[in-house]
DNA sequence: TATAGGTTATTTGTCACCGAACAAGCTACC
DNA sequence: GGTAGCTTGTTCGGTGACAAATAACCTATA
């Protein structure tokens, strides 16, 4: 790799890191070009030069998190795991990621919640993300019903909504009480209660 | 009541309604003095004259919702209901309020999520709100354990976190998918699964 | 290998815009 | 006529965007 590429890569990385840190610490609205540049150790103008616009930067940031984390960790983890295991694995892979390095997840959640009020494009993006997420969860539940690991009387769609609600609500309380709310036990309990509820019980039915 | 008071009351009401509507439709960030005034049928200057500052307006708005709705509907509904009934009633009273008139709840949720990125004061306020809410839920669970309506092996604090997570997550998906996500069945399912999990089961243990 | 000329990365200067806040003035009520 | 409600004019700070200037780097050529 040439020195120019290295330079670009280093500054891009610094800018994205700075942007993420600002979003987590002070929120999306506080993320101005001047602040990003200063924090990254560059000028305020570089952000525009590199990403074109604020939207471009955010898009890149989300791609980085979703593709570099979700796709690399969450998807493979659930591959092979069927039915009830898939559901549990999906929740626990988020837990694992937070335990290892919480910054990416924090940025993602902060953007998710704050996107409600700002950009229509961002809102649309997260809306789609939730649609597919609900579909995936519901699919796993259906799979579990088919393979007998999940009791047949559960409604896959409602389950998907409830599980995702749990995830998002934990994320919200986590961000709201920076440092004082531990998401890990909450995720554990979410996983545990979900499994308990879904698992085929010999006595029931 | 004198005509002056009526006038003030009418304009105050109009301003608060407009502010709420803007928050719901376009988000907290889009809520500018000019927009509020225009929408309410007054000038942009009245907001400052009436509430002093933007913070003052938001404070008033939250008070109006929390004191005028939560305290009037939720608290009395759970009075008398003990243990498991209290938990279910609390969830269902939110459901009832949304079914009757969802605007207030929507405004509250929108502020909750967006406050993450804006005001520190707002964040602090919602942080406290969640603390007391968790404490209240945990108290109800403990009460239920004492009076035998809730199984003794549940952890009140973890339950409180999980239930509130469910509520917030449903709220988030509701706001994200304006018009396409129905919170009512989700709240029903949340209440049902919560009760199923908490209720003293003769076979268990 | 030295360096000139071109290319890419980064900074600085500047503009147009928007928002909150306040003050001075105007209008409705009493 | 006086007070309370409301409006208009204005200021000030801050923002994203872009263009022009500068600095770092790369390459071709002698």
């Amino acid at each position: 790799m040439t020195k120019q590429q290295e330079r670009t890569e280093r500054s891009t990385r610094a800018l994205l890191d700075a942007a993420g840190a600002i979003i987590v610490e002070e929120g999306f609205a506080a993320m101005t070009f001047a602040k990003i540049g200063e924090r990254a150790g560059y000028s305020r103008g570089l952000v525009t030069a590199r990403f074109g616009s604020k939207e471009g930067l955010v898009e890149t940031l989300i791609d980085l998190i979703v593709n570099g984390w979700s796709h690399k960790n969450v998807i493979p983890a659930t591959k092979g795991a069927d039915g009830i295991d898939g559901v549990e694995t999906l929740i626990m892979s988020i837990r694992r990621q937070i335990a290892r390095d919480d910054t990416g997840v924090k940025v993602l959640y902060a953007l998710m919640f704050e996107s409600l009020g700002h950009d229509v494009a961002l809102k649309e993006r997260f809306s789609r993300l939730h649609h597919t997420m609900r579909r995936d969860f519901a699919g796993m539940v259906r799979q579990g019903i088919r393979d007998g690991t999940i009791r047949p009387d559960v409604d896959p769609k409602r389950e998907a909504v409830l599980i995702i609600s749990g995830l998002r609500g934990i994320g919200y309380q986590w961000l709201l009480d920076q440092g004082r709310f531990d998401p890990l036990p909450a995720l554990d309990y979410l996983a545990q209660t979900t499994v308990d509820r879904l698992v085929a019980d010999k006595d029931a039915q």
Side-chain angles (χ1 to χ4, degrees), chain A:
Chain A
M1 181 187 297
T2 160
K3 217 167 182 181
Q4 288 284 67
Q5 286 175 304
E6 268 176 36
R7 201 154 76 121
T8 307
E9 197 170 297
R10 205 177 327 130
S11 61
T12 302
R13 176 84 199 197
L15 290 175
L16 288 170
D17 282 353
I22 292 168
I23 288 176
V24 168
E25 289 170 21
E26 305 174 66
F28 183 68
M31 191 194 69
T32 99
F33 285 175
K35 258 192 196 164
I36 298 172
E38 189 189 7
R39 179 152 190 161
Y42 292 87
S43 72
R44 63 194 156 71
L46 185 58
V47 184
T48 319
R50 185 61 42 80
F51 301 101
S53 67
K54 206 168 181 177
E55 211 182 323
L57 173 102
V58 174
E59 276 294 313
T60 312
L61 200 55
I62 295 181
D63 281 342
L64 200 76
I65 297 170
V66 172
N67 294 325
W69 161 66
S70 178
H71 286 196
K72 265 186 200 153
N73 297 24
V74 180
I75 306 292
T78 58
K79 265 276 160 57
D82 278 344
I84 189 73
D85 281 346
V87 174
E88 188 180 14
T89 305
L90 194 35
I91 298 173
M92 292 312 274
S93 72
I94 292 173
R95 191 218 125 101
R96 209 173 309 121
Q97 178 61 27
I98 292 176
R100 192 196 313 153
D101 180 19
D102 61 13
T103 51
V105 190
K106 255 188 185 164
V107 173
L108 190 65
Y109 273 113
L111 280 173
M112 252 173 27
F113 292 129
E114 291 201 54
S115 79
L116 282 182
H118 290 266
D119 235 328
V120 180
L122 256 189
K123 238 178 121 167
E124 190 52 42
R125 165 148 203 177
F126 281 118
S127 183
R128 262 183 284 120
L129 192 142
H130 279 75
H131 266 106
T132 61
M133 207 167 162
R134 282 194 288 261
R135 202 196 50 210
D136 289 352
F137 263 117
M140 280 185 202
V141 171
R142 268 187 220 99
Q143 169 70 19
I145 293 177
R146 268 198 304 276
D147 63 30
T149 54
I150 292 180
R151 45 198 300 174
D153 60 332
V154 295
D155 180 338
K157 280 186 187 168
R158 291 200 167 181
E159 268 305 324
V161 169
L162 190 64
I163 295 168
I164 292 171
S165 293
L167 290 172
R168 294 299 171 259
I170 289 170
Y172 174 71
Q173 293 177 79
W174 181 32
L175 291 189
L176 185 64
D177 272 345
Q178 294 276 34
R180 284 173 295 177
F181 181 93
D182 187 358
L184 300 181
L187 287 168
D188 286 335
Y189 196 57
L190 175 65
Q192 181 201 316
T193 55
T194 303
V195 169
D196 285 351
R197 179 173 66 247
L198 294 183
V199 80
D201 186 359
K202 279 121 203 158
D203 302 335
Q205 284 262 323

